[in-house]
Amino acid sequence: MKKLMTMTRQFRDDENGAAMVEYTILLGIITVAVIATVVLVGGWVSTKWTNLYAAISAH
């Protein structure tokens, strides 16, 4: 456990480690934004297809 804590402190103090953490957080934010966009656009497209199907079926 002590070795893990030492490694964690070294990682925290290392500038490359800090940059990697920042990039990881940025990647996480971008991933969440992309997933949210896909879900929202998917719902919009699904609604449009449902309305189109209903309009075609009615005739």
Side-chain angles (χ1 to χ4, degrees):
M1 185 68 172
K2 191 173 185 177
K3 185 176 179 180
L4 178 63
M5 292 301 291
T6 303
M7 287 174 49
T8 304
R9 283 190 200 102
Q10 288 173 347
F11 185 73
R12 180 193 65 198
D13 295 337
D14 183 19
E15 288 185 26
N16 292 330
M20 187 176 0
V21 169
E22 291 170 359
Y23 286 129
T24 303
I25 291 170
L26 183 60
L27 181 62
I29 292 170
I30 291 170
T31 302
V32 168
V34 167
I35 290 171
T37 302
V38 168
V39 168
L40 290 173
V41 170
W44 179 80
V45 169
S46 177
T47 302
K48 294 296 180 183
W49 278 109
T50 303
N51 291 341
L52 178 63
Y53 177 76
I56 291 172
S57 297
H59 289 23

